Amino acid sequence: AQRVTQPEKLLSVFKGAPVELKCNYSYSGSPELFWYVQYSRQRLQLLLRHISRESIKGFTADLNKGETSFHLKKPFAQEEDSAMYYCALTGAGRRALTFGSGTRLQVQP
Amino acid sequence: DAGITQSPRYKITETGRQVTLMCHQTWSHSYMFWYRQDLGHGLRLIYYSAAADITDKGEVPDGYVVSRSKTENFPLTLESATRSQTSVYFCASSPGLAGSNTGELFFGEGSRLTVL
């Protein structure tokens, strides 16, 4: 069975501070990992995927297969980063995503 | 406007009643999904569909029924609503497989269901 764990329900940081949202997964095969974000009064949307190796809005995430982690990082948090962040995984068949429980990021001024 | 829409956005019902949540997308995406969002559980997959007339169970399918007679519609029915089905329900669509370059999920705004 595949599982995604986001250990922090809430992460509160000050503007300009570094951010790391943790994501750990369990999957026996080769997974594809994603981060989705839901800003206040907006729809859930894709932030980034590990296969693209891209940086979106200053966020990056590296897949660490040894530690089975896909932590989301940003060196300097902005107030507009405040949102709910979900880590997600897809495995064999690649048909649907399994989401973690989410982490709410609060960036204080 | 093109996109994915859910209706109703808010619904209050009573235990034992049948409820149908509608989902409509205008992109002709092959894949459609229903998730429920609950505090502490995040998003859990209820059912998904790879194409018209093809549906599969997700993680929490019990108490739900889906159909996909047309590519653009994917209704979710609670045949006999229970209080444990109080949740926010999200419909999503995707043009391709979840792990592919075309596998981005596009979500609806959500339907908040309260079962009394």
Side-chain angles (χ1 to χ4, degrees), chain A residues 45-109:
Chain A
Q45 59 189 282
L46 176 67
L47 179 62
L48 57 80
R49 66 186 87 190
H50 95 271
I51 56 173
S52 299
R53 296 187 174 276
E54 57 200 347
S55 174
I56 303 294
K57 299 184 178 182
F59 284 98
T60 59
D62 292 318
L63 178 60
N64 186 323
K65 291 187 177 181
E67 295 183 357
T68 59
S69 68
F70 188 57
H71 302 328
L72 183 68
K73 300 177 183 179
K74 185 170 183 177
F76 307 104
Q78 302 298 315
E79 289 182 67
E80 55 265 31
D81 296 328
S82 295
M84 191 75 175
Y85 290 81
Y86 291 96
C87 183
L89 169 157
T90 187
R94 305 285 195 256
R95 292 187 183 277
L97 292 182
T98 297
F99 285 85
S101 55
T103 297
R104 181 167 297 282
L105 175 64
Q106 286 182 348
V107 182
Q108 301 184 50

XYZ file of all heavy atoms in Angstrom, chain A residues 45-109:
509
model
N -4.364 23.346 -6.490
C -3.645 23.384 -7.764
C -2.249 22.808 -7.610
O -1.672 22.803 -6.524
C -3.559 24.835 -8.273
C -2.862 25.790 -7.309
C -2.976 27.232 -7.743
O -2.264 27.658 -8.637
N -3.873 27.979 -7.105
N -1.720 22.347 -8.718
C -0.378 21.780 -8.722
C 0.659 22.863 -8.484
O 0.621 23.916 -9.129
C -0.119 21.089 -10.061
C 1.268 20.513 -10.271
C 1.517 19.341 -9.316
C 1.436 20.052 -11.727
N 1.585 22.605 -7.574
C 2.687 23.516 -7.348
C 3.917 23.033 -8.118
O 4.463 23.765 -8.938
C 2.997 23.624 -5.856
C 4.158 24.538 -5.470
C 3.873 25.974 -5.881
C 4.453 24.449 -3.981
N 4.312 21.787 -7.837
C 5.426 21.248 -8.605
C 5.423 19.727 -8.538
O 4.770 19.121 -7.693
C 6.759 21.821 -8.126
C 7.182 21.670 -6.685
C 7.751 20.299 -6.389
C 8.248 22.720 -6.333
N 6.157 19.137 -9.465
C 6.297 17.677 -9.511
C 7.768 17.336 -9.618
O 8.543 18.079 -10.223
C 5.518 17.114 -10.703
C 6.074 17.538 -12.054
C 5.184 17.085 -13.188
N 4.122 18.039 -13.480
C 3.099 17.797 -14.287
N 2.971 16.616 -14.867
N 2.195 18.709 -14.516
N 8.162 16.244 -9.031
C 9.593 15.969 -8.931
C 10.200 15.640 -10.288
O 11.370 15.911 -10.519
C 9.871 14.868 -7.914
C 9.997 13.487 -8.494
N 8.933 12.646 -8.663
C 11.084 12.820 -8.956
C 9.348 11.513 -9.180
N 10.646 11.585 -9.371
N 9.423 15.084 -11.204
C 9.996 14.704 -12.495
C 10.384 15.925 -13.316
O 11.206 15.838 -14.215
C 9.032 13.813 -13.302
C 7.674 14.507 -13.499
C 8.846 12.484 -12.603
C 6.746 13.744 -14.419
N 9.813 17.075 -12.999
C 10.130 18.277 -13.763
C 11.370 18.978 -13.236
O 11.957 19.800 -13.941
C 8.950 19.251 -13.724
O 7.810 18.674 -14.287
N 11.732 18.682 -11.977
C 12.919 19.286 -11.367
C 12.887 20.811 -11.518
O 13.882 21.433 -11.875
C 14.197 18.722 -11.966
C 14.379 17.244 -11.707
C 15.739 16.746 -12.163
N 15.940 15.380 -11.779
C 16.369 14.984 -10.589
N 16.623 15.888 -9.676
N 16.532 13.713 -10.302
N 11.742 21.395 -11.292
C 11.599 22.827 -11.499
C 11.445 23.545 -10.171
O 11.194 22.953 -9.149
C 10.373 23.091 -12.368
C 9.096 22.518 -11.774
C 7.980 22.338 -12.784
O 8.074 22.869 -13.904
O 6.989 21.668 -12.454
N 11.606 24.850 -10.232
C 11.361 25.712 -9.087
C 10.168 26.584 -9.423
O 10.166 27.279 -10.438
C 12.584 26.574 -8.784
O 12.287 27.505 -7.764
N 9.155 26.511 -8.593
C 7.946 27.281 -8.813
C 7.756 28.218 -7.632
O 7.740 27.771 -6.485
C 6.722 26.369 -8.959
C 6.924 25.376 -10.097
C 5.468 27.198 -9.173
C 6.993 26.000 -11.464
N 7.609 29.513 -7.911
C 7.406 30.522 -6.862
C 8.500 30.431 -5.805
O 8.263 30.691 -4.629
C 6.023 30.376 -6.226
C 4.882 30.556 -7.206
C 3.531 30.513 -6.529
C 2.427 30.739 -7.552
N 1.087 30.764 -6.946
N 9.684 30.024 -6.208
C 10.805 29.937 -5.284
C 10.883 28.643 -4.492
O 11.828 28.433 -3.735
N 9.899 27.775 -4.691
C 9.876 26.490 -3.992
C 10.608 25.421 -4.802
O 10.509 25.387 -6.024
C 8.433 26.007 -3.777
C 7.698 26.712 -2.684
C 6.823 27.753 -2.976
C 7.863 26.326 -1.363
C 6.138 28.405 -1.964
C 7.164 26.962 -0.344
C 6.311 28.005 -0.647
N 11.306 24.561 -4.098
C 11.917 23.389 -4.709
C 11.639 22.177 -3.832
O 11.316 22.319 -2.639
C 13.445 23.549 -4.843
O 14.001 23.768 -3.536
C 13.812 24.701 -5.756
N 11.734 21.024 -4.432
C 11.572 19.787 -3.678
C 12.452 18.730 -4.311
O 12.437 18.560 -5.530
C 10.115 19.335 -3.668
N 13.201 18.040 -3.481
C 14.088 16.983 -3.971
C 13.610 15.637 -3.455
O 13.351 15.474 -2.258
C 15.523 17.231 -3.500
C 16.124 18.454 -4.164
O 15.900 18.615 -5.392
O 16.787 19.242 -3.479
N 13.528 14.701 -4.371
C 13.140 13.348 -3.994
C 14.361 12.632 -3.430
O 15.378 12.497 -4.109
C 12.596 12.603 -5.214
C 12.183 11.150 -4.998
C 11.078 11.056 -3.958
C 11.746 10.515 -6.304
N 14.260 12.177 -2.210
C 15.324 11.422 -1.557
C 14.824 10.005 -1.359
O 14.077 9.718 -0.413
C 15.678 12.070 -0.215
C 16.879 11.414 0.446
O 17.051 10.206 0.363
N 17.705 12.211 1.097
N 15.216 9.122 -2.260
C 14.695 7.753 -2.199
C 15.231 6.999 -0.992
O 14.559 6.127 -0.445
C 15.030 7.013 -3.499
C 14.265 7.554 -4.700
C 14.483 6.708 -5.923
C 13.648 7.238 -7.093
N 13.817 6.423 -8.316
N 16.434 7.353 -0.551
C 16.993 6.673 0.611
C 16.196 6.965 1.881
O 15.954 6.079 2.694
N 15.777 8.200 2.021
C 14.994 8.592 3.189
C 13.498 8.591 2.888
O 12.705 8.962 3.763
C 15.424 9.989 3.644
C 16.859 10.065 4.136
C 17.230 11.446 4.657
O 16.394 12.363 4.592
O 18.382 11.591 5.114
N 13.127 8.210 1.686
C 11.722 8.241 1.228
C 11.067 9.551 1.615
O 10.018 9.604 2.283
C 10.906 7.044 1.755
O 10.912 7.039 3.197
C 11.459 5.739 1.231
N 11.697 10.641 1.196
C 11.175 11.962 1.528
C 11.110 12.838 0.292
O 11.815 12.613 -0.708
C 12.038 12.626 2.598
O 13.319 12.942 2.076
N 10.256 13.833 0.372
C 10.079 14.799 -0.723
C 9.704 16.138 -0.080
O 8.638 16.681 -0.269
C 8.990 14.301 -1.673
C 8.854 15.113 -2.949
C 9.927 15.294 -3.800
C 7.629 15.676 -3.303
C 9.801 16.020 -4.969
C 7.492 16.413 -4.484
C 8.580 16.583 -5.307
N 10.630 16.662 0.678
C 10.358 17.889 1.433
C 10.327 19.110 0.513
O 11.137 19.233 -0.402
C 11.419 18.094 2.514
C 11.533 16.962 3.478
N 10.474 16.178 3.847
C 12.630 16.471 4.141
C 10.884 15.254 4.707
N 12.171 15.403 4.900
N 9.434 20.022 0.823
C 9.279 21.262 0.038
C 10.022 22.381 0.751
O 9.825 22.596 1.939
C 7.789 21.607 -0.096
C 7.432 22.820 -0.952
C 7.742 22.545 -2.416
C 5.949 23.158 -0.774
N 10.847 23.110 -0.007
C 11.694 24.116 0.613
C 11.603 25.442 -0.123
O 11.400 25.486 -1.342
C 13.158 23.649 0.624
C 13.399 22.374 1.374
C 14.850 21.941 1.278
C 15.071 20.617 1.969
N 16.479 20.159 1.873
N 11.780 26.491 0.665
C 11.888 27.835 0.098
C 12.818 28.630 1.011
O 12.647 28.620 2.222
C 10.524 28.511 -0.002
C 10.564 29.861 -0.689
C 9.180 30.395 -1.000
C 9.285 31.720 -1.756
N 7.953 32.250 -2.150
N 13.808 29.285 0.448
C 14.790 29.949 1.309
C 14.242 31.169 2.064
O 14.661 31.430 3.191
C 15.901 30.352 0.337
C 15.278 30.328 -1.014
C 14.173 29.337 -0.970
N 13.308 31.886 1.446
C 12.798 33.100 2.085
C 11.271 33.152 1.917
O 10.774 33.423 0.830
C 13.432 34.349 1.455
C 14.930 34.327 1.436
C 15.613 34.066 0.253
C 15.663 34.544 2.585
C 16.995 34.026 0.226
C 17.043 34.508 2.575
C 17.713 34.253 1.406
N 10.558 32.899 2.970
C 9.100 32.844 2.898
C 8.489 34.232 2.680
O 8.989 35.240 3.207
C 8.540 32.247 4.177
N 7.421 34.270 1.922
C 6.652 35.482 1.686
C 5.242 35.307 2.258
O 4.747 34.179 2.365
C 6.572 35.771 0.184
C 7.917 35.917 -0.488
C 8.709 37.070 0.067
O 8.186 38.167 0.273
N 9.995 36.838 0.328
N 4.597 36.412 2.599
C 3.257 36.320 3.174
C 2.294 35.628 2.223
O 1.395 34.902 2.666
C 2.748 37.711 3.535
C 3.457 38.330 4.721
C 2.891 39.678 5.087
O 1.736 39.730 5.539
O 3.613 40.675 4.903
N 2.489 35.821 0.923
C 1.579 35.205 -0.050
C 1.776 33.692 -0.164
O 1.014 33.020 -0.874
C 1.733 35.856 -1.426
C 3.147 35.864 -1.965
C 3.872 37.165 -1.659
O 3.587 37.790 -0.615
O 4.745 37.537 -2.470
N 2.774 33.156 0.516
C 2.956 31.703 0.533
C 2.018 31.021 1.533
O 1.926 29.784 1.560
C 4.403 31.343 0.902
C 5.395 31.834 -0.129
O 5.040 31.880 -1.321
O 6.525 32.179 0.276
N 1.355 31.788 2.348
C 0.433 31.215 3.322
C -0.653 30.433 2.597
O -1.358 30.986 1.735
C -0.198 32.326 4.175
O 0.770 32.976 4.949
N -0.776 29.180 2.922
C -1.707 28.298 2.209
C -1.671 26.916 2.846
O -0.900 26.659 3.767
C -1.327 28.189 0.728
N -2.501 26.040 2.298
C -2.488 24.630 2.688
C -1.698 23.889 1.632
O -1.988 24.023 0.428
C -3.925 24.105 2.764
C -4.057 22.766 3.409
S -3.864 22.913 5.189
C -4.207 21.213 5.660
N -0.730 23.083 2.053
C 0.129 22.367 1.122
C -0.075 20.860 1.300
O -0.042 20.341 2.419
C 1.600 22.718 1.370
C 1.941 24.140 0.974
C 1.642 25.205 1.823
C 2.546 24.415 -0.241
C 1.938 26.514 1.470
C 2.852 25.718 -0.608
C 2.538 26.758 0.251
O 2.836 28.057 -0.109
N -0.261 20.197 0.174
C -0.446 18.748 0.183
C 0.642 18.078 -0.641
O 0.893 18.451 -1.795
C -1.803 18.362 -0.420
C -2.993 18.739 0.398
C -3.686 19.923 0.152
C -3.449 17.910 1.412
C -4.799 20.266 0.897
C -4.560 18.242 2.168
C -5.227 19.426 1.901
O -6.332 19.758 2.643
N 1.256 17.081 -0.059
C 2.176 16.223 -0.783
C 1.370 15.055 -1.348
O 0.420 14.581 -0.704
C 3.243 15.724 0.183
S 4.532 14.714 -0.556
N 1.705 14.617 -2.544
C 0.942 13.540 -3.168
C 1.868 12.597 -3.917
O 2.950 12.990 -4.380
C -0.117 14.108 -4.108
N 1.405 11.386 -4.062
C 2.202 10.330 -4.671
C 1.337 9.534 -5.641
O 0.152 9.323 -5.386
C 2.740 9.420 -3.566
C 3.400 8.088 -3.873
C 4.323 7.715 -2.696
C 2.406 6.953 -4.051
N 1.939 9.078 -6.708
C 1.292 8.081 -7.528
C 2.264 6.956 -7.773
O 3.458 7.164 -7.921
C 0.767 8.665 -8.856
O 0.008 7.667 -9.531
C 1.898 9.121 -9.763
N 1.714 5.744 -7.796
C 2.564 4.576 -7.941
C 2.233 3.774 -9.170
O 1.995 4.322 -10.230
N 2.199 2.471 -9.007
C 1.968 1.583 -10.138
C 0.659 1.913 -10.825
O -0.345 2.148 -10.186
C 1.941 0.138 -9.650
N 0.685 1.949 -12.145
C -0.515 2.271 -12.904
C -0.700 3.747 -13.098
O -1.355 4.165 -14.060
N -0.160 4.538 -12.182
C -0.186 6.004 -12.304
C -1.585 6.548 -12.538
O -1.764 7.540 -13.237
C 0.706 6.465 -13.464
C 2.155 5.985 -13.401
C 2.927 6.745 -12.365
N 4.366 6.563 -12.535
C 5.095 5.782 -11.767
N 4.543 5.074 -10.816
N 6.393 5.693 -11.965
N -2.598 5.903 -11.971
C -3.952 6.321 -12.305
C -4.496 7.399 -11.396
O -5.301 8.209 -11.806
C -4.880 5.104 -12.278
C -4.589 4.122 -13.394
C -5.623 3.011 -13.442
N -5.309 2.041 -14.460
C -5.623 2.190 -15.744
N -6.261 3.261 -16.137
N -5.298 1.258 -16.616
N -4.088 7.389 -10.133
C -4.664 8.367 -9.200
C -3.603 8.776 -8.201
O -2.592 8.096 -8.021
C -5.871 7.767 -8.483
N -3.828 9.884 -7.556
C -2.902 10.393 -6.552
C -3.358 10.024 -5.154
O -4.551 10.051 -4.848
C -2.802 11.918 -6.647
C -2.147 12.513 -7.889
C -2.105 14.021 -7.776
C -0.760 11.952 -8.091
N -2.374 9.693 -4.320
C -2.606 9.532 -2.884
C -2.044 10.768 -2.207
O -0.874 11.099 -2.398
C -1.899 8.271 -2.356
O -2.458 7.125 -2.990
C -2.078 8.160 -0.852
N -2.888 11.453 -1.443
C -2.489 12.697 -0.799
C -2.151 12.473 0.667
O -2.686 11.582 1.325
C -3.621 13.723 -0.874
C -3.790 14.346 -2.235
C -4.557 13.717 -3.197
C -3.188 15.548 -2.541
C -4.723 14.278 -4.456
C -3.355 16.124 -3.796
C -4.117 15.481 -4.749
N -1.282 13.339 1.173
C -1.033 13.388 2.598
C -2.121 14.213 3.280
O -3.056 14.692 2.629
N -1.997 14.365 4.580
C -3.029 15.055 5.353
C -2.914 16.568 5.282
O -3.781 17.280 5.765
C -2.999 14.605 6.810
O -1.700 14.786 7.339
N -1.833 17.063 4.691
C -1.692 18.498 4.480
C -0.995 19.219 5.619
O -1.056 18.796 6.784
N -0.319 20.302 5.267
C 0.315 21.190 6.243
C -0.107 22.617 5.936
O 0.027 23.071 4.792
C 1.850 21.102 6.181
O 2.273 19.789 6.512
C 2.480 22.108 7.160
N -0.621 23.284 6.944
C -0.973 24.688 6.753
C 0.237 25.542 7.067
O 0.790 25.482 8.169
C -2.138 25.092 7.651
C -2.547 26.550 7.458
C -3.875 26.874 8.092
N -4.978 26.125 7.501
C -5.548 26.415 6.336
N -5.126 27.446 5.620
N -6.551 25.689 5.904
N 0.662 26.322 6.122
C 1.785 27.249 6.288
C 1.248 28.643 6.554
O 0.440 29.160 5.769
C 2.667 27.259 5.028
C 3.812 28.275 5.029
C 4.819 27.954 6.127
C 4.506 28.311 3.663
N 1.685 29.197 7.665
C 1.341 30.592 7.993
C 2.620 31.402 7.974
O 3.553 31.094 8.723
C 0.703 30.681 9.380
C -0.711 30.183 9.449
C -1.321 30.340 10.841
O -0.616 30.622 11.803
N -2.626 30.150 10.933
N 2.662 32.412 7.140
C 3.814 33.299 7.094
C 3.402 34.624 7.713
O 2.538 35.330 7.184
C 4.326 33.512 5.664
C 5.556 34.418 5.674
C 4.643 32.173 5.001
N 4.013 34.920 8.816
C 3.649 36.121 9.555
C 4.540 37.300 9.151
O 5.700 37.110 8.827
C 3.768 35.845 11.057
C 2.877 34.704 11.515
C 2.923 34.509 13.011
O 2.752 35.479 13.755
N 3.144 33.296 13.467
N 3.957 38.492 9.177
C 4.739 39.673 8.737
C 5.850 40.053 9.716
O 5.842 39.627 10.848
C 3.675 40.775 8.673
C 2.572 40.315 9.541
C 2.575 38.815 9.522
